[in-house]
Amino acid sequence: MLRKQLLLCVLVILCAQGAQAQNDGWYTEGDFTPEVRVKITLSNPLDIAREGVPITIPAKSLPVTNVADRYITVVDPTIPGKPAPTNEELAAASGYLEREETNGHFLEYQMDDLNYDGLWDEVFFMIDFKPRETKNIYLYIGKSERGLYPHKTHAGMGYYGRHMVPFWEAEHVGWKLWFPTDVDLHGKREPMLTAYPEYSRNLSGYFMPPEYGTDIMTVANTFGSGGICLFEYPALPDSMSRPRYSPYAGKGPYVDTRYAFEVVYNGPLRSAIRARTMNWTTGAGQYEIEQIYVAYARKSYSTCQVKYPTFLNNEPQTLFGCGIREIMNQNDSFRQGGLAVSFGKDVVVRAPNNNIGEKGLTVDFEGIALVVKDEYRPEYRNIKSKSFGNNHVFRVPVTPDRTFEYLIAGAWSQGAVNKTAEEFKRYMITVAQEYNHPPVIREIRLEEK
């Protein structure tokens, strides 16, 4: 009898401790003590550790969406909280400096309105994973205004070089569309954002102050650091149709391909440009394209989502296509599945029409890369064309919803990361693996104290 009573007491104590544990673990920051949170359980499907993994949570997947700006706090409970700031830190950073945290650490995030209707559509943040780790991230609901953090990405528009040019960038690499469908690449020597001074002051990308880095891509008639095409002629498998080379090129926007650009969002962790290609007539079809290019904090890559709102193809076997050029002075390349990497040695990166009395800047190494997700069944082609130069291209079967996506990346020897061909190759193999295996959302659940 006594043994049963002792066992019962032990069970009561354990149950009480379990109940207490469920109420413990709630995040606080100074006087911010929220009582409602959304638990998001995420899993890493890979056997590798991952840093700064982009996480996008659509608003429609959350149990509560009528949440005002500054009423969400994203917390990783596995990261130690900040200690209380000193008086000196408060004096330097103002009242917006975070106070002492318990039960986790605040994660930088952004809430983005993709269609400009005044309602946020996504919460975006970045987290680290251990191999095969499953972890909980919490969205705490309640007003909290503290927390200032610098932008690590940027997207903007500039009337640059006598025409409208969109820019998007992260700290190590930047991109722009000098040509409307084929991407230019800007290399940074130190982590920083440089697009704004470039377009606001109309600086030549090739001749910016050295601390701003430089344009390291010659696009000309190639795909540059990333471009799109269609394969419309099955009997000519390497024959490509490209928007800026329509039969009406140069004859004015009423008959030729037209383009329009806008900033989708401009945030601390990701920034995006939307590029619309309209009125594209090839002789074998008529098309419209929407592309959304996204730059991510601390990443040397940009993703591109592609959608064809209009796809009137005369040839039923037409295929999607995207590619990168063979880098200037290519000395090697690498391909694995939907990954293609082009390596250049002793690459001249100054303006190709070098009529200003300066020799071109030569760098030891430059690399560019393209990844098409395996799910789109990409077929690689190394196309050498008199019209378009030499390019690494993937043919992609047309999808039922006429969408697909790919990733572009770049690196150079004067940058802060991926300074050699071998480093960039390793980076891209990992990036391709992660791109094909995003984190899995296991559970989203509303919790209250």
Side-chain angles (χ1 to χ4, degrees):
M1 184 68 176
L2 179 60
R3 181 177 180 182
K4 289 183 179 180
Q5 290 177 336
L6 289 173
L7 180 60
L8 180 61
C9 289
V10 169
L11 289 174
V12 169
I13 292 171
L14 289 174
C15 290
Q17 288 177 342
Q20 183 66 33
Q22 291 177 22
N23 292 325
D24 287 344
W26 282 70
Y27 174 80
T28 67
E29 183 263 323
D31 58 0
F32 176 58
T33 57
E35 302 205 354
V36 178
R37 68 186 182 185
V38 177
K39 175 186 177 182
I40 301 174
T41 304
L42 300 160
S43 291
N44 172 17
L46 296 176
D47 291 319
I48 60 173
R50 304 167 69 169
E51 294 184 2
V53 180
I55 304 293
T56 301
I57 306 296
K60 62 184 180 182
S61 70
L62 294 172
V64 55
T65 58
N66 187 25
V67 180
D69 290 344
R70 297 193 272 187
Y71 274 69
I72 281 183
T73 299
V74 182
V75 173
D76 185 338
T78 68
I79 302 176
K82 289 183 62 174
T86 65
N87 291 333
E88 291 76 14
E89 289 172 330
L90 286 170
S94 84
Y96 284 106
L97 184 65
E98 300 98 321
R99 303 307 197 266
E100 181 179 10
E101 296 177 302
T102 66
N103 297 319
H105 182 58
F106 164 77
L107 295 180
E108 298 176 9
Y109 71 96
Q110 57 192 85
M111 300 162 65
D112 295 318
D113 177 4
L114 307 183
N115 58 359
Y116 307 116
D117 64 353
L119 301 173
W120 58 274
D121 299 296
E122 295 177 345
V123 177
F124 179 82
F125 50 91
M126 305 176 82
I127 63 175
D128 297 340
F129 277 111
K130 298 174 183 176
R132 294 284 177 182
E133 181 183 17
T134 295
K135 67 189 303 183
N136 297 325
I137 299 294
Y138 292 98
L139 308 186
Y140 285 89
I141 311 301
K143 187 175 183 180
S144 179
E145 297 184 337
R146 290 189 289 266
L148 296 174
Y149 35 94
H151 277 217
K152 303 174 187 67
T153 70
H154 172 76
M157 302 288 300
Y159 200 82
Y160 175 83
R162 308 206 318 176
H163 67 310
M164 190 60 71
V165 175
F167 297 72
W168 67 104
E169 63 174 327
E171 295 167 297
H172 297 303
V173 183
W175 300 268
K176 65 174 175 279
L177 288 172
W178 176 275
F179 298 107
T181 57
D182 302 287
V183 178
D184 251 311
L185 179 66
H186 191 96
K188 318 290 183 68
R189 291 187 170 89
E190 297 292 338
M192 65 174 63
L193 301 180
T194 60
Y196 180 74
E198 182 176 354
Y199 66 73
S200 64
R201 295 168 54 191
N202 260 313
L203 300 173
S204 168
Y206 292 108
F207 291 95
M208 294 175 68
E211 63 270 20
Y212 288 168
T214 186
D215 190 318
I216 56 175
M217 173 54 56
T218 299
V219 176
N221 61 342
T222 72
F223 284 97
S225 296
I228 53 173
C229 67
L230 288 172
F231 292 90
E232 296 183 289
Y233 304 100
L236 302 170
D238 290 348
S239 174
M240 301 178 294
S241 301
R242 299 176 63 196
R244 63 185 176 108
Y245 293 96
S246 82
Y248 306 100
K251 296 182 179 180
Y254 291 132
V255 294
D256 193 12
T257 314
R258 298 195 297 271
Y259 310 96
F261 312 102
E262 63 182 336
V263 176
V264 183
Y265 43 78
N266 186 17
L269 298 177
R270 66 173 184 174
S271 294
I273 289 287
R274 179 182 286 112
R276 295 179 60 209
T277 299
M278 301 161 285
N279 198 45
W280 178 25
T281 301
T282 66
Q286 293 182 319
Y287 309 95
E288 292 185 355
I289 312 167
E290 180 180 290
Q291 294 172 270
I292 297 180
Y293 294 95
V294 185
Y296 302 86
R298 299 180 293 276
K299 304 299 183 183
S300 296
Y301 63 74
S302 165
T303 56
C304 182
Q305 299 173 339
V306 185
K307 179 180 180 181
Y308 281 81
T310 300
F311 195 82
L312 303 175
N313 54 314
N314 297 331
E315 171 52 61
Q317 296 184 53
T318 297
L319 299 173
F320 296 148
C322 60
I324 55 173
R325 67 163 296 161
E326 289 188 1
I327 193 65
M328 302 84 69
N329 206 28
Q330 175 179 284
N331 72 314
D332 197 6
S333 64
F334 173 80
R335 188 177 67 83
Q336 186 178 81
L339 165 65
V341 189
S342 180
F343 307 97
K345 184 178 181 181
D346 299 329
V347 180
V348 178
V349 298
R350 281 278 168 87
N353 56 339
N354 193 24
N355 58 1
I356 59 173
E358 283 197 33
K359 293 182 179 180
L361 173 66
T362 302
V363 298
D364 296 336
F365 156 74
E366 183 180 342
I368 54 175
L370 170 69
V371 184
V372 180
K373 285 188 173 181
D374 294 340
E375 66 183 89
Y376 297 112
R377 296 182 289 128
E379 175 196 341
Y380 174 77
R381 310 288 291 190
N382 184 204
I383 299 179
K384 302 182 185 296
S385 164
K386 291 183 179 179
S387 300
F388 302 140
N390 300 340
N391 298 277
H392 301 280
V393 185
F394 285 105
R395 293 152 52 104
V396 178
V398 173
T399 57
D401 60 358
R402 301 197 299 270
T403 68
F404 75 109
E405 59 183 288
Y406 59 89
L407 176 152
I408 56 177
W412 67 320
S413 55
Q414 295 191 15
V417 297
N418 302 318
K419 302 176 69 165
T420 68
E422 185 57 35
E423 288 175 356
F424 186 52
K425 178 181 175 180
R426 289 197 303 267
Y427 176 77
M428 288 311 307
I429 290 173
T430 300
V431 165
Q433 189 178 14
E434 294 184 340
Y435 189 47
N436 278 291
H437 298 89
V440 178
I441 299 176
R442 298 293 183 189
E443 181 186 30
I444 297 179
R445 185 175 70 193
L446 186 67
E447 297 183 340
E448 298 184 22
K449 275 187 177 178

